[in-house]
Amino acid sequence: MPAAPARQQTWSAASYDKHARFVSDLAGPVVEWLALERGERILDLGCGDGALTEQLAVAGADVVGVDASQDLTASARERGLDVQLMDGQELSFVNEFDAVFSNAALHWMTEPDRVLTGVARALKAGGRFVGEFGGHGNVAAIVTAMRATAARRGGDAALAGPWFFPSPDVYAGMLENHGFSVRRIGLFPRPTPLKSGMSEWLKLFRKPFFEQYGPARDEVLGEVEDLLRPVLCDARGNWTADYVRLRFEAVKL
Ligand code: BEZ
């Protein structure tokens, strides 16, 4: 079967910096699981604007970042990092890395078998694949509110949640099918404060859902927010996203 064409993602580095800085700020535990040693060659898969890639470089890694967004890779290069514009489902590296690291990116890659084929090929034998991303149940309330709004108004409910959020059992099985031994894997809730509020999160991460309503998009945004307010907004107006993380470490056999 021919490979699907490479996909680019359209992110604004400025919006990401303003409304999603928590993504790299909350990555401490998965960086600990990487247990980086100085001089190791690391691939940062879905490196975004390079905030974490830079941390790995400062810690002594010989690190390469890849991301499918032109704007984010440009921003990462401004940090002086070695970064390539590449779809994570079409990794082109062979037997090169001591570890592949990924934070908050794998859920955007909806063909995980293609990702795992590329990661396994990119690693040296004994190399580690360490990552964290949205797991089963991630942003369930947010997706349900969008789906409920689509059911009421008409529209494409599938645009509410195009992500890959597997359970630990499912993802461990996939890793094993691709020749990895799973050292540890776990799913845990990580309620995440949204300093910029829910509407900025929705506009940044789910733009296609709202764009389908044309001039009514702001009204639809308001409806989704109203549905979510009782469960994700406290009495002082502080919003929290219902994130669930899947964190894992696997070794290429
Ligand atoms: C996440 O990091 O879990 C996530 C971010 C944006 C959209 C969906 C999930």
Side-chain angles (χ1 to χ4, degrees):
M1 211 196 309
R7 265 159 293 180
Q8 279 198 22
Q9 297 223 350
T10 48
W11 291 101
S12 147
S15 297
Y16 200 84
D17 183 42
K18 192 162 168 206
H19 303 300
R21 182 50 57 213
F22 63 85
V23 174
S24 51
D25 287 349
L26 296 175
V30 67
V31 173
E32 271 179 38
W33 277 32
L34 177 62
L36 177 70
E37 290 187 16
R38 291 193 75 78
E40 279 191 316
R41 184 139 174 88
I42 307 288
L43 176 65
D44 185 357
L45 170 54
C47 66
D49 67 0
L52 277 181
T53 326
E54 188 169 31
Q55 278 183 32
L56 301 181
V58 168
D62 173 13
V63 61
V64 178
V66 294
D67 201 279
S69 156
Q70 188 132 35
D71 209 35
L72 293 179
T73 49
S75 178
R77 280 194 201 107
E78 281 169 20
R79 298 174 189 265
L81 297 165
D82 179 359
V83 169
Q84 299 182 29
L85 181 65
M86 195 182 289
D87 182 343
Q89 297 163 148
E90 296 188 356
L91 295 175
S92 61
F93 307 98
V94 182
N95 206 18
E96 190 177 327
F97 294 100
D98 299 298
V100 175
F101 170 80
S102 187
N103 179 57
L106 295 169
H107 47 251
W108 291 101
M109 302 172 203
T110 53
E111 294 180 76
D113 283 306
R114 295 179 67 208
V115 174
L116 290 171
T117 299
V119 170
R121 191 171 43 221
L123 283 169
K124 300 174 189 167
R128 296 135 27 232
F129 182 27
V130 178
E132 181 171 315
F133 64 113
H136 189 66
N138 194 36
V139 295
I142 299 175
V143 172
T144 303
M146 284 187 276
R147 294 187 71 91
T149 303
R152 193 159 58 193
R153 287 193 164 247
D156 185 358
L159 289 173
W163 303 293
F164 170 60
F165 295 148
S167 66
D169 275 2
V170 166
Y171 201 58
M174 295 180 82
L175 285 162
E176 282 161 7
N177 286 341
H178 284 269
F180 288 94
S181 164
V182 178
R183 277 193 179 151
R184 42 187 173 166
I185 188 163
L187 185 75
F188 57 95
R190 195 203 62 198
T192 301
L194 300 179
K195 288 202 183 111
S196 305
M198 181 54 70
S199 63
E200 292 302 338
W201 190 97
L202 291 168
K203 282 190 279 186
L204 182 63
F205 291 122
R206 233 29 270 138
K207 197 169 170 191
F209 177 82
F210 296 98
E211 291 292 325
Q212 71 177 319
Y213 295 104
R217 72 176 77 83
D218 288 344
E219 199 181 308
V220 176
L221 189 67
E223 272 180 43
V224 173
E225 261 199 312
D226 288 346
L227 279 172
L228 288 170
R229 191 166 287 106
V231 287
L232 296 182
C233 187
D234 73 11
R236 295 192 166 157
N238 300 307
W239 285 92
T240 300
D242 53 339
Y243 276 22
V244 175
R245 303 282 91 184
L246 182 65
R247 189 181 301 151
F248 65 92
E249 178 189 5
V251 179
K252 178 178 163 179
L253 296 173

